[in-house]
Amino acid sequence: MEVLMPVPQIYVERTLAIIKPDVIDKEEEIEDLVLRSGFHIIQKRKLQLSPEQCSNFYAEQFGKVFFPNLTAYMSSGPIVAMVLARDCAVSYWKELLGPSNSLRARITHPHSLRALYGTDELRNGLHGSLSISSAEKEIRFIFPEAILEPVATGQRARDYLNLYVKPTLLAGLTALCKEKPADPM
C-alpha cells in the first residue's frame, strides 16, 4: 500500500512589532521572549518618530479621544520596530501581546507581554498589527526598503526551486565532490 505524503508548503507571514518608548530598556528581554515564541526577527531598527510621523502611522485612529495622547506618547522617545515572521504571525503576535489595555491584560491574560510590560491602556508597552494588510502597510511605513512579496506556494514554489535553487545546489555540490576536501566543513 502506497502512503501519500502531503506536499510540503511554506507558510510564512510577517507582522510588525514595536517596542514603545517607555519599555525600550526591556528590549533584550522582550526580543528573547519573541524568539522563544517561535518568531524570527527579519528586520529591526531603532528610531524616533516625529509627532507628524506618528499621526501618519496611526491615521486610522484619527478623531478618537486618545489620538493626541497616543501621538505624543509614541514620539516621546525612541522605539524599536521589528518585522517578525512565522506561520500565522499576525494572530500569534496578537495572542502573545494580549489585550490592548494592560490593566485588563493583567486580569485576563497575566502572561501576555502587555500584562508584563504595560502600565495602562495607552502605555501598553508594545504594538502589533491587527491584520495581514495592516501589517504590510505598517512594515512599508517603518521599513520603506522592505520587499513584501507573497511567499510562493504550490506549483510556483516548485518552479522557483527548480529554476533557481536546485541548479545552484547541484553546481556547488558537484564542485565540492570534485575537490574531495579532507574536511568539507
Side-chain angles (χ1 to χ4, degrees), residues 13-18 34-35 39-45 80-86 89 129 135-136 138-140 142-143 145-148:
E13 193 175 278
R14 287 163 284 212
T15 191
L16 182 73
I18 295 177
V34 166
L35 294 171
F39 290 93
H40 295 279
I41 300 172
I42 304 300
Q43 287 182 284
K44 175 181 150 183
R45 87 185 262 211
V80 173
M82 299 177 287
V83 177
L84 306 181
R86 70 166 284 170
S129 303
E136 289 176 0
E138 292 173 356
I139 291 169
R140 279 193 185 95
I142 301 289
F143 299 93
E145 74 287 351
I147 298 171
L148 295 173

Side-chain angles (χ1 to χ4, degrees), residues 120-141:
D120 55 37
E121 189 169 2
L122 178 66
R123 297 181 186 277
N124 59 11
L126 296 117
H127 167 83
S129 303
L130 296 174
S131 66
I132 294 172
S133 61
S134 68
E136 289 176 0
K137 186 182 106 194
E138 292 173 356
I139 291 169
R140 279 193 185 95
F141 185 91

Side-chain angles (χ1 to χ4, degrees), residues 55 57-68 70 130:
S55 294
F57 185 79
Y58 287 107
E60 293 172 1
Q61 307 296 332
F62 183 76
K64 296 189 177 171
V65 176
F66 61 85
F67 183 77
L70 176 63
L130 296 174

Side-chain angles (χ1 to χ4, degrees), residues 16-87:
L16 182 73
I18 295 177
I19 301 173
K20 295 182 178 181
D22 56 328
V23 292
I24 198 82
D25 59 323
K26 303 286 187 183
E27 175 187 353
E28 287 182 28
E29 190 177 312
I30 292 168
E31 279 183 38
D32 184 53
L33 287 168
V34 166
L35 294 171
R36 284 191 287 128
S37 298
F39 290 93
H40 295 279
I41 300 172
I42 304 300
Q43 287 182 284
K44 175 181 150 183
R45 87 185 262 211
K46 191 175 203 173
L47 69 154
Q48 182 156 355
L49 298 173
S50 69
E52 182 182 5
Q53 288 172 315
C54 290
S55 294
N56 291 334
F57 185 79
Y58 287 107
E60 293 172 1
Q61 307 296 332
F62 183 76
K64 296 189 177 171
V65 176
F66 61 85
F67 183 77
N69 290 334
L70 176 63
T71 56
Y73 162 55
M74 288 301 291
S75 62
S76 67
I79 61 169
V80 173
M82 299 177 287
V83 177
L84 306 181
R86 70 166 284 170
D87 61 312

